[in-house]
Amino acid sequence: AVVSTQSTGIFTADNLERVEEAIASVPGIGEWLSAPFNEYLEAQRDKLHGSTAGEINEGTTLLGALFNALIAVMVLFFLLSIVQGLARQKQKELNRERYTNYESLCHDYFDE
């Protein structure tokens, strides 16, 4: 989330236009590099702004799918650790209650 938030400020339309101009101003190869770069940016703009969610998911790469799976596994392990922590806490409370009940029974038996 932090990387996404920070990268949003970097990839604004003004900054991308400056990058396009900088690439085009490189002597000798600027015009040759700027055409594919502009095509790529236009394709990304169309993909993100001009299509539906179903069409965006069609272009998911294997690496993207693996990254999404990794995030899902991390979230599941996080939730599992929360549940395990709550279970341990409850078990400690039950053990403490049993111990105090057992201790009071022993005192009652031996004190008489």
Side-chain angles (χ1 to χ4, degrees):
V2 173
V3 173
S4 176
T5 303
Q6 290 176 350
S7 67
T8 303
I10 295 171
F11 296 112
T12 62
D14 293 334
N15 289 341
L16 289 176
E17 286 176 13
R18 288 184 197 136
V19 170
E20 289 175 23
E21 291 171 3
I23 290 174
S25 67
V26 174
I29 60 169
E31 291 182 20
W32 179 74
L33 287 176
S34 66
F37 183 73
N38 289 336
E39 289 175 12
Y40 173 75
L41 286 179
E42 287 298 321
Q44 288 300 312
R45 285 180 193 140
D46 290 344
K47 184 177 179 182
L48 295 175
H49 297 290
S51 61
T52 62
E55 292 173 352
I56 291 173
N57 287 335
E58 288 178 3
T60 303
T61 62
L62 178 62
L63 183 62
L66 290 175
F67 185 71
N68 288 339
L70 175 68
I71 298 295
V73 168
M74 288 171 51
V75 168
L76 289 175
F77 274 118
F78 175 71
L79 294 175
L80 180 65
S81 69
I82 290 173
V83 170
Q84 284 179 335
L86 291 172
R88 285 184 188 139
Q89 183 179 1
K90 183 64 176 176
Q91 188 61 45
K92 283 182 183 178
E93 291 174 8
L94 291 174
N95 288 344
R96 201 173 299 131
E97 184 179 313
R98 286 183 193 148
Y99 178 75
T100 55
N101 288 341
Y102 178 74
E103 194 175 57
S104 66
L105 284 174
C106 289
H107 284 292
D108 291 342
Y109 179 74
F110 288 115
D111 288 340
E112 292 179 5

